[in-house]
């Protein structure tokens, strides 16, 4: 992160600046026109109704705004029950999926406290479940690759087919086809439908478009159920898509970096380890295009866990008397004999070897402390040894 941090921070700042400038150019004129239209309509109402004062109109608008903030329909005679069972399930789903449309929100103190506690427990649970759902889709892709490989399809074609089906299935089921359903049931345009699909599945959730909440429309009974299932499946697919996309970008960056270093001749650069090439005759039995999800990363938690396992498996030295201040010294080497005892063993060997050399003056003394000896050397060695011992 130390080398990539400044670059990524600069990229984020630049990307936000460009996005802010484009949104300002596109949306500010529309906001100015809407504001001018609102002021003009207020003036027309005051002209048409002479008995209505400006203060009275502002009071009416304040009441309407407060009612709209509480989730009450301010137009028409039909009022949608915001907190019935079906709508409460939808609201709970927006919490655990972190979509948070914002069209409905708790207004009581108890409801807001429970919303915090509910989100603390539900969001991790939902993320784990969506991850498992994504793994289920990955397993289906692996099984498809097994079937294709058994039929004799090459590895590259299998990779291409699995990737293409993954992308086509996700784009069609979650982005391209749902807007037609929303157009038929909600009365939206196709652009509004695909806009709602993207905002929902990316958990942005502005709340300007929400499916199944219009009080003036009679929805099919299972419409909301299928909408919820579509959201969960879309979240699982989009999480896989973003992970796969990021993995492809990282791999492409690694390839470009290797090529860049290959053309540079840096003297102090350490040689890169050569990867062993796979045997071309061995054909894999399965292709997993999401194998990067099972790779282990050395993040904070894994490093701390490895340290704990290493400390647990380390065996302390036994039968060592030490104070508590030195209790962390775990590797103390013990000697079989004391240095003095080891010297005494060498002296005894000298006596034995000296007696053995009296018969043959030219025999090499292998156990003595000195090199080769002649006729009178054993006697001198004994005298030297006795004086050394004393």
């Amino acid at each position: 992160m130390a080398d990539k941090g400044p670059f990524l921070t600069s990229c984020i700042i630049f990307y936000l600046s460009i996005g802010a400038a484009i949104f300002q150019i596109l949306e500010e004129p529309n906001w100015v026109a809407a504001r001018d239209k609102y002021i003009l309509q207020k003036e027309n109402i005051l002209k048409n109704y002479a008995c209505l004062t400006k203060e009275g109109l502002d009071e009416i608008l304040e009441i309407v705004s407060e009612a709209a903030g509480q989730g009450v329909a301010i137009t028409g005679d039909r009022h949608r029950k915001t907190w019935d069972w079906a709508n409460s399930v939808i609201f709970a789903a927006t919490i655990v999926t972190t979509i948070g449309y914002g069209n409905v929100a708790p207004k009581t103190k108890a409801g807001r406290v429970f919303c915090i506690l509910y989100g603390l427990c539900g969001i991790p649970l939902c993320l784990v479940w969506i991850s498992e759902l994504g793994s289920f889709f990955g397993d289906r892709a692996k099984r498809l690759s097994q079937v294709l490989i058994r039929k004799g399809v090459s590895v590259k074609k299998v990779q291409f087919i699995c990737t293409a089906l993954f992308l086509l299935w996700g784009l069609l089921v979650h982005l391209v086809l749902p807007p037609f359903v929303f157009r038929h049931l909600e009365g939206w345009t196709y652009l509004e439908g695909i806009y709602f699909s993207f905002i929902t599945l990316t958990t942005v959730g502005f709340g300007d478009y929400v499916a199944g909440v219009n009080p003036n429309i009679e929805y099919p009974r299972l419409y909301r159920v299928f909408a919820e299932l579509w959201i969960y499946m879309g979240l699982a697919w989009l999480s896989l898509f973003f992970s796969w996309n990021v993995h492809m970008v990282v791999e492409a960056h690694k390839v470009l970096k290797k090529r860049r270093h290959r053309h540079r001749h840096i003297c102090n650069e350490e040689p890169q380890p050569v990867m062993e090439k796979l045997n071309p005759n061995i054909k894999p039995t399965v292709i997993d295009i999401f194998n990067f999800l099972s790779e282990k990363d050395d993040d904070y938690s894994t490093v701390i866990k490895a340290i704990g396992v290493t400390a647990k498996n380390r065996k302390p030295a036994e039968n060592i008397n030490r104070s508590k201040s030195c209790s962390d010294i775990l590797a103390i080497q013990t000697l079989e004999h004391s240095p003095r005892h080891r010297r005494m063993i060498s002296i005894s060997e000298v006596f034995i070897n000296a007696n053995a050399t009296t018969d043959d003056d030219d025999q090499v003394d292998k156990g003595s402390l000195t090199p080769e000896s002649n006729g009178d050397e054993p006697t001198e060695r004994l005298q030297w040894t006795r004086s050394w011992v004393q």
Side-chain angles (χ1 to χ4, degrees):
M1 182 63 185
D3 54 345
K4 298 179 182 179
F7 174 73
L8 293 177
T9 304
S10 302
C11 290
I12 288 295
I13 294 175
F14 176 76
Y15 195 74
L16 292 177
S17 301
I18 292 297
I22 294 176
F23 281 123
Q24 183 180 8
I25 294 173
L26 295 176
E27 297 296 332
E28 189 175 18
N30 181 66
W31 177 83
V32 172
R35 182 198 59 185
D36 295 340
K37 181 180 179 180
Y38 172 71
I39 295 174
L40 181 60
Q41 288 178 343
K42 284 179 62 177
E43 294 176 353
N44 292 332
I45 290 175
L46 293 175
K47 290 180 181 179
N48 295 331
Y49 302 94
C51 60
L52 181 63
T53 61
K54 184 177 181 301
E55 290 76 10
L57 180 59
D58 291 338
E59 184 178 358
I60 294 173
L61 294 176
E62 184 177 355
I63 294 173
V64 171
S65 178
E66 183 179 358
Q70 295 291 336
V72 179
I74 58 177
T75 58
D77 297 331
R78 299 183 61 180
H79 297 278
R80 181 177 64 91
K81 293 181 180 180
T82 307
W83 292 107
D84 59 359
W85 169 253
N87 291 316
S88 297
V89 170
I90 294 176
F91 174 74
T94 60
I95 294 176
V96 297
T97 57
T98 68
I99 295 175
Y101 288 122
N103 62 321
V104 178
K107 303 300 181 182
T108 61
K109 294 181 180 180
R112 290 170 177 173
V113 171
F114 178 74
C115 181
I116 295 173
L117 300 176
Y118 188 76
L120 287 175
C121 299
I123 291 174
L125 177 63
C126 184
L127 292 178
V128 171
W129 180 66
I130 289 175
S131 177
E132 291 296 325
L133 190 60
S135 300
F136 172 78
F137 293 149
D139 292 338
R140 303 285 80 73
K142 290 174 63 176
R143 291 190 178 184
L144 176 62
S145 67
Q146 288 179 343
V147 174
L148 294 177
I149 289 177
R150 289 173 184 174
K151 291 184 177 180
V153 183
S154 63
V155 174
K156 291 185 178 181
K157 288 184 179 180
V158 171
Q159 290 178 341
F160 175 78
I161 292 173
C162 292
T163 304
L165 289 178
F166 166 71
L167 295 177
L168 289 176
W169 170 72
L171 292 175
L172 290 175
V173 175
H174 301 295
L175 291 177
V176 177
L177 297 180
F180 290 104
V181 179
F182 298 139
R183 182 179 180 181
H184 175 70
L185 295 177
E186 300 286 349
W188 300 340
T189 63
Y190 185 81
L191 178 60
E192 292 173 342
I194 197 171
Y195 166 79
F196 166 76
S197 301
F198 179 80
I199 294 300
T200 298
L201 298 183
T202 54
T203 69
V204 175
F206 290 127
D208 49 351
Y209 289 92
V210 181
V213 297
N214 193 342
N216 298 321
I217 299 177
E218 289 291 339
Y219 296 104
R221 180 173 298 180
L222 298 178
Y223 172 68
R224 294 179 180 178
V225 176
F226 283 110
E228 289 297 319
L229 293 177
W230 168 78
I231 290 175
Y232 290 124
M233 294 178 62
L235 290 174
W237 174 82
L238 206 63
S239 64
L240 271 179
F241 173 76
F242 284 144
S243 300
W244 174 79
N245 196 9
V246 171
H247 177 72
M248 292 295 105
V249 173
V250 171
E251 290 298 324
H253 175 71
K254 289 181 180 179
V255 172
L256 293 176
K257 189 175 181 180
K258 288 181 180 179
R259 291 182 179 178
R260 197 183 308 120
H261 284 289
R262 191 179 302 168
H263 292 290
R264 294 179 182 177
H265 300 282
I266 303 176
C267 298
N268 297 328
E269 184 179 6
E270 297 181 356
Q272 298 292 333
V274 180
M275 300 298 293
E276 297 181 357
K277 294 184 178 180
L278 297 176
N279 190 352
N281 297 325
I282 300 177
K283 190 174 183 179
T285 59
V286 62
I287 302 297
D288 188 6
I289 61 175
F290 306 110
N291 58 352
F292 57 89
L293 296 177
S294 59
E295 295 178 355
K296 293 183 178 180
D297 297 329
D298 292 334
D299 56 358
Y300 177 79
S301 60
T302 55
V303 171
I304 295 299
K305 187 176 180 180
I307 293 174
V309 171
T310 304
K312 185 177 180 180
N313 295 334
R314 185 183 299 167
K315 297 181 178 179
E318 298 178 354
N319 300 327
I320 297 179
N321 296 324
R322 56 179 182 269
S323 62
K324 293 183 178 180
S325 61
C326 300
S327 60
D328 57 342
I329 302 177
L330 301 178
I332 300 178
Q333 297 181 355
T334 59
L335 298 176
E336 297 178 356
H337 305 283
S338 64
R340 180 178 179 85
H341 185 54
R342 183 168 295 181
R343 275 201 308 273
M344 295 301 293
I345 293 174
S346 300
I347 293 170
S348 63
E349 290 178 358
V350 170
F351 282 101
I352 296 172
N353 294 328
N355 294 327
T357 55
T358 56
D359 298 332
D360 190 0
D361 294 339
D362 296 332
Q363 185 179 359
V364 178
D365 186 5
K366 297 181 180 180
S368 62
L369 298 175
T370 59
E372 297 180 357
S373 58
N374 293 326
D376 297 334
E377 191 173 358
T379 305
E380 296 177 357
R381 186 185 302 134
L382 290 174
Q383 294 176 355
W384 174 81
T385 305
R386 291 172 183 171
S387 62
W388 178 74
V389 172
Q390 292 176 356

